[in-house]
Amino acid sequence: MDVTSIIESLNDAQRSAVAAPAQSMLVLAGAGSGKTRVLVHRIAWQIEVLGVSAHSILAVTFTNKSAKEMRGRIEDLLKISARSMWIGTFHGLAHRLLRRHSEQAKLPATFQVMDSDDQLRLIKRLLKNMQLDDSKWPPKQIQWYINAQKDEGRRAKHMQDSFDLYQQQMLAVYKAYEDICQRSGLVDFAELLLRAHELLRDNPDVLAFYQQRFSQVHVDEFQDTNTIQYAWLRLLTEGQDNLFVVGDDDQSIYGWRGAKIENIYNFQKHYPNHQVVRLEQNYRSTGHILNAANHLIANNQGRMGKALWTDAGEGELISLYTAFNEQDEAHFVVEKIRSWKQEGGQLNDIAILYRSNAQSRQFEEKLMTTGTPYRVYGGLRFFERMEIKNALAYLRLTSNQHDDASFERVINTPTRGMGSKTLDELRLIARDQAVSLWDASIVLLNQNTLSARASNALKGFLALINQCRSDCAELELFEKVKIVVERSGLILLYQNEKGDKGEARVENLEELVNAARSFDFEQENEENLSELDLFLAHATLESGEMQGDTYDDCVQLMTLHSAKGLEFKRVFLVGMEEGLFPSQQSLDDAGRLEEERRLCYVGLTRAMRQLFICYAESRRLYGRETYPRPSRFLREIPAQCIQEVRLRANVTRPVSVVTPKPALACIAQATSYKAGQTLRHAKFGEGVVLQMEGEDAGARVQIKFKTVGVKWLMLAYAKFE
């Protein structure tokens, strides 16, 4: 390949990052600045120009979709296979390490990976075994606690006992959870990372091998790394000058799930010979949108600093809509969408972004009543669906009979006449004898204390798994999946389920067989594992991500967190109110408030051509009526970037709406009422005029009353004293 062809399409900043000598580098990549392009071309440059072996390339990202895209773009650019490169997610690559070195990692060769749902089920069973009331010890809270400890690299045995009874109990649950996972050969998502770090840390020969193999290490979305991920990277690159990271401190929005923005700041201390390159040219958004984003994020302290710019022109002003309430907000947004659709626009180009999932309901209802197709991003993925998870549990048991999470999931699915009493006995034996539920079943059958029905049901289940295990041993992967799905009784179970739902479940099970048939075994395998084990791991790791692309033309609804990494021609950023965005929990915490501002920055920079920002003067949320102030983030956007809009009336109000105490001008009307004027209504009592709009018979005034809050009143009918 001609060397110049690798960099000729890049801008100056991108070229300086791609063509730099082999050394540690921090690329501060602003939104829409081509960071993936830089990563791909950097890898191509290293292989073609610096002579680095493709076998020596490690590239880490956060989603399977990103990893697949990176792999495909490298293959297109270099015209070579990327199979020998380790390109994947942190969890995927950690899983690969543990499969190759399961013995050194103190794991059974057949260990299975649990997704979040299976982990929660296991915790619930553990609480029951420990006779802990789940109303006082919520399973989700314990799940969060356990994962948080692992993200920080803390094992239960290394944590000091506390005089705090709550902490003592949480630690006891953590220890019991670790024991049952080790005994059952189960690994959760957080455990993948922690165990992989411990593998490298505690086995110098293994660490030395990978340090020598991976002469170049690349990381995407570096600002999203947590403590254990960064520790893992530092081990791999210890004593070497070969860590190339791409990130943006202004887009660090996952602190609530363990991401440490400090990592991007500490990089410069831990890698003193590094180089910093800033990518500031934006290829996505217009000038007004970027100007708004730059001014907003400038209010955060301690930034590494950059300013996005574009040579694509200023574009349209950002439109600001003040809604009367959440229904009016939804009405405005959907009417705008319908107008664009009628003009020939694509619905896929439109996104509605909100801070809280609870906000989606009003938009969904309005979209449904108008017959506008939509999709809530982040819904259940294929591998998360109940029928698929049930089938996968059967498959896991054929690979590892001691997988307690899978055993408990399907022991009575379909129902076999196993009562709760029998299951309780199994759990008790498993707890007291420190064995798996499978071994506990054998013990219970040998005791000969079960009723004939329960005994036959349990024997039948064990025999089913053993028979599947035996009959599938020499079959191809899709044949194994087909036999297990059929023999499990799941097909018949869902065929008997009334309505379209049952039919859809059967179709999904058939699709699982197709997924197994098309599974790229060689792409995933370097560890000589069975196809089944690799397929099961693939299914679990895929289920940990948000829902991917859609091919239907429909409006996209999603939270701002889900929107990161995406772009749309037209974006509605809704619910811009104090207490909602920024969230109520962040108002008294400077660090959390800055993360909320970064989240707003992410929201603004999703828009390519048009951006609408909406807030409501009153909103019913979580069952109560509120009268919020406009978000402080609106005040941080320059007035010259914004135009106010109205849906029905041809009205323009001054942009002073975004000042701390809006002074809203009255619309021209033959009346003496003015904003700030005090009036008394015959029914509602004393109030202050906020604004007026409309003309003649349609004129109305908005008043904030002391007793009933904010109301709009038609002047033709209002009775003022």
Side-chain angles (χ1 to χ4, degrees):
M1 173 184 285
D2 180 10
V3 170
T4 58
S5 66
I6 298 178
I7 59 175
E8 63 183 358
S9 63
L10 306 177
N11 64 38
D12 291 343
Q14 292 172 336
R15 192 176 295 120
S16 65
V18 167
Q23 68 177 110
S24 292
M25 180 175 292
L26 170 59
V27 180
L28 282 175
S33 63
K35 65 180 180 61
T36 303
R37 184 179 183 84
V38 165
L39 265 173
V40 167
H41 282 71
R42 174 64 174 176
I43 291 172
W45 181 269
Q46 289 174 331
I47 293 172
E48 288 293 318
V49 180
L50 302 183
V52 175
S53 167
H55 185 74
S56 300
I57 296 292
L58 174 68
V60 194
T61 186
F62 275 83
T63 68
N64 290 303
K65 179 184 174 184
S66 298
K68 184 177 181 180
E69 179 188 359
M70 191 182 299
R71 191 182 294 117
R73 287 170 69 168
I74 290 171
E75 290 181 338
D76 290 343
L77 188 61
L78 293 179
K79 309 304 179 187
I80 64 171
S81 171
R83 290 182 184 274
S84 63
M85 305 180 199
W86 277 39
I87 301 175
T89 64
F90 276 101
H91 291 99
L93 296 177
H95 174 259
R96 202 167 176 177
L97 278 172
L98 296 177
R99 287 293 184 192
R100 299 189 78 181
H101 304 281
S102 58
E103 184 177 351
Q104 288 145 303
K106 300 179 177 61
L107 285 170
T110 58
F111 77 85
Q112 297 293 340
V113 184
M114 292 186 292
D115 64 14
S116 296
D117 181 53
D118 287 332
Q119 182 190 27
L120 189 61
R121 283 171 171 263
L122 187 60
I123 290 171
K124 288 178 179 177
R125 178 164 72 85
L126 183 61
L127 293 176
K128 194 168 185 179
N129 288 346
M130 298 177 71
Q131 298 181 328
L132 292 175
D133 184 350
D134 60 11
S135 65
K136 296 180 180 178
W137 302 95
K140 276 193 172 293
Q141 186 174 332
I142 291 172
Q143 182 182 35
W144 177 87
Y145 172 85
I146 289 172
N147 292 338
Q149 303 313 312
K150 291 185 179 185
D151 285 346
E152 293 297 322
R154 292 191 287 261
R155 291 280 183 206
K157 64 182 179 182
H158 297 140
M159 297 170 65
Q160 294 182 345
D161 283 333
S162 169
F163 292 109
D164 186 311
L165 294 178
Y166 171 82
Q167 291 295 333
Q168 287 179 6
Q169 189 63 72
M170 292 292 274
L171 190 56
V173 175
Y174 183 18
K175 176 67 169 64
Y177 173 82
E178 284 187 310
D179 290 344
I180 197 171
C181 286
Q182 185 66 34
R183 187 167 66 243
S184 303
L186 297 174
V187 175
D188 58 50
F189 286 147
E191 181 73 17
L192 282 172
L193 302 175
L194 177 56
R195 187 79 62 139
H197 176 260
E198 292 171 341
L199 169 68
L200 297 178
R201 183 196 66 193
D202 300 338
N203 295 274
D205 54 331
V206 176
L207 176 60
F209 172 82
Y210 287 105
Q211 284 179 335
Q212 185 175 7
R213 171 170 179 172
F214 298 128
S215 62
Q216 300 299 323
V217 179
H218 310 78
V219 185
D220 192 12
E221 304 287 6
F222 183 65
Q223 77 282 346
D224 293 336
T225 54
N226 63 24
T227 298
I228 201 69
Q229 288 165 340
Y230 188 36
W232 184 76
L233 290 169
R234 291 191 65 196
L235 274 177
L236 274 177
T237 59
E238 191 175 28
Q240 304 179 78
D241 209 16
N242 64 340
L243 182 57
F244 184 96
V245 302
V246 180
D248 182 5
D249 56 327
D250 290 335
Q251 295 188 74
S252 179
I253 60 173
Y254 296 120
W256 52 275
R257 71 181 189 194
K260 294 295 178 68
I261 192 173
E262 295 86 354
N263 292 345
I264 204 167
Y265 302 142
N266 289 334
F267 177 89
Q268 299 179 86
K269 178 176 66 177
H270 296 146
Y271 297 88
N273 298 321
H274 73 282
Q275 180 182 348
V276 176
V277 174
R278 287 173 168 79
L279 304 184
E280 297 175 300
Q281 183 174 359
N282 178 281
Y283 293 94
R284 176 188 299 156
S285 306
T286 62
H288 283 310
I289 294 171
L290 296 181
N291 191 24
N294 287 333
H295 277 81
L296 171 86
I297 202 64
N299 289 276
N300 275 3
Q301 304 299 311
R303 297 173 56 237
M304 299 192 73
K306 65 184 177 310
L308 299 178
W309 60 275
T310 181
D311 58 10
E314 295 300 319
E316 295 185 22
L317 290 169
I318 297 170
S319 297
L320 177 68
Y321 181 69
T322 305
F324 311 135
N325 52 32
E326 69 272 19
Q327 289 94 352
D328 182 41
E329 180 183 55
H331 178 72
F332 168 77
V333 170
V334 174
E335 285 302 306
K336 275 291 180 185
I337 290 171
R338 294 180 69 202
S339 295
W340 283 324
K341 179 64 175 175
Q342 290 167 1
E343 293 167 5
Q346 296 293 307
L347 296 180
N348 262 342
D349 292 334
I350 301 169
I352 303 174
L353 309 183
Y354 37 79
R355 178 64 181 85
S356 165
N357 277 309
Q359 292 171 255
S360 74
R361 184 181 63 83
Q362 292 289 341
F363 297 100
E364 290 191 67
E365 289 181 356
K366 193 66 180 176
L367 289 164
M368 280 191 288
T369 57
T370 58
T372 307
Y374 74 93
R375 167 179 169 271
V376 179
Y377 190 94
L380 285 179
R381 292 173 60 90
F382 179 75
F383 289 116
E384 291 177 320
R385 293 168 182 161
M386 180 185 72
E387 62 275 16
I388 299 301
K389 289 174 72 65
N390 288 339
L392 293 173
Y394 275 105
L395 288 164
R396 287 194 176 92
L397 283 174
T398 65
S399 176
N400 174 19
Q401 295 164 320
H402 304 293
D403 182 339
D404 279 1
S406 295
F407 186 101
E408 187 149 8
R409 183 179 187 95
V410 295
I411 180 63
N412 222 15
T413 304
T415 55
R416 295 183 170 82
M418 296 269 296
S420 58
K421 182 180 177 182
T422 303
L423 290 175
D424 286 341
E425 288 185 69
L426 282 176
R427 297 184 186 108
L428 188 62
I429 292 172
R431 184 192 69 185
D432 292 346
Q433 298 190 21
V435 296
S436 66
L437 289 172
W438 182 276
D439 287 342
S441 299
I442 297 172
V443 171
L444 185 57
L445 287 171
N446 288 337
Q447 291 176 354
N448 204 26
T449 57
L450 291 175
S451 67
R453 184 185 181 193
S455 178
N456 289 334
L458 187 54
K459 285 178 182 177
F461 179 70
L462 300 186
L464 168 66
I465 301 301
N466 279 328
Q467 193 65 48
C468 287
R469 185 184 180 97
S470 173
D471 292 351
C472 293
E474 303 302 324
L475 299 179
E476 290 189 43
L477 175 61
F478 81 92
E479 293 175 313
K480 293 178 181 178
V481 175
K482 188 172 187 293
I483 283 179
V484 171
V485 166
E486 289 174 349
R487 292 185 183 176
S488 66
L490 292 175
I491 294 285
L492 183 59
L493 172 68
Y494 299 128
Q495 282 176 340
N496 292 331
E497 187 175 317
K498 294 180 180 179
D500 295 338
K501 184 175 290 186
E503 184 179 339
R505 294 194 196 282
V506 173
E507 291 173 354
N508 285 334
L509 289 174
E510 292 169 350
E511 182 58 31
L512 181 64
V513 178
N514 293 333
R517 191 191 297 269
S518 61
F519 180 60
D520 191 348
F521 176 63
E522 292 184 0
Q523 175 71 54
E524 301 289 337
N525 192 28
E526 199 185 66
E527 296 76 48
N528 297 317
L529 297 173
S530 74
E531 284 185 289
L532 178 58
D533 284 337
L534 277 172
F535 181 68
L536 291 171
H538 165 77
T540 304
L541 294 171
E542 279 282 345
S543 73
E545 293 185 11
M546 298 300 285
Q547 184 169 297
D549 294 330
T550 180
Y551 296 100
D552 298 326
D553 186 33
C554 55
V555 180
Q556 311 293 300
L557 276 68
M558 67 191 75
T559 65
L560 284 150
H561 283 99
S562 298
K564 187 169 177 292
L566 304 177
E567 62 183 28
F568 303 92
K569 289 182 180 178
R570 297 183 172 100
V571 168
F572 290 92
L573 185 52
V574 300
M576 290 289 288
E577 300 139 28
E578 288 290 296
L580 185 56
F581 192 33
S583 68
Q584 189 66 41
Q585 294 83 358
S586 69
L587 297 182
D588 297 322
D589 184 324
R592 293 180 69 173
L593 185 58
E594 292 209 339
E595 181 160 316
E596 290 283 297
R597 185 175 285 110
R598 292 193 292 269
L599 188 58
C600 186
Y601 175 83
V602 166
L604 296 177
T605 54
R606 297 313 93 194
M608 301 169 68
R609 295 291 173 263
Q610 288 182 305
L611 174 61
F612 277 82
I613 298 177
C614 305
Y615 73 92
E617 294 170 329
S618 69
R619 182 181 298 275
R620 178 170 288 276
L621 195 62
Y622 308 120
R624 62 189 182 89
E625 193 82 24
T626 60
Y627 301 94
R629 290 180 292 122
S631 170
R632 68 188 67 196
F633 299 149
L634 293 175
R635 302 197 295 270
E636 297 169 359
I637 296 175
Q640 62 267 28
C641 296
I642 293 179
Q643 63 178 354
E644 287 201 85
V645 295
R646 278 292 182 192
L647 185 59
R648 302 181 192 85
N650 184 19
V651 174
T652 300
R653 291 205 308 263
V655 182
S656 57
V657 67
V658 297
T659 57
K661 292 186 178 181
L664 303 176
C666 296
I667 305 304
Q669 169 70 14
T671 178
S672 58
Y673 298 138
K674 296 181 179 179
Q677 181 179 352
T678 300
L679 296 174
R680 178 174 290 278
H681 187 269
K683 179 178 179 181
F684 303 127
E686 188 175 288
V688 176
V689 175
L690 298 180
Q691 59 180 312
M692 293 176 59
E693 70 172 32
E695 299 178 7
D696 303 324
R700 62 178 187 167
V701 60
Q702 185 190 43
I703 301 177
K704 184 173 184 180
F705 293 102
K706 291 182 179 180
T707 54
V708 295
V710 178
K711 285 188 175 294
W712 281 95
L713 300 175
M714 300 296 293
L715 286 177
Y717 305 103
K719 297 179 180 179
F720 296 120
E721 297 176 357

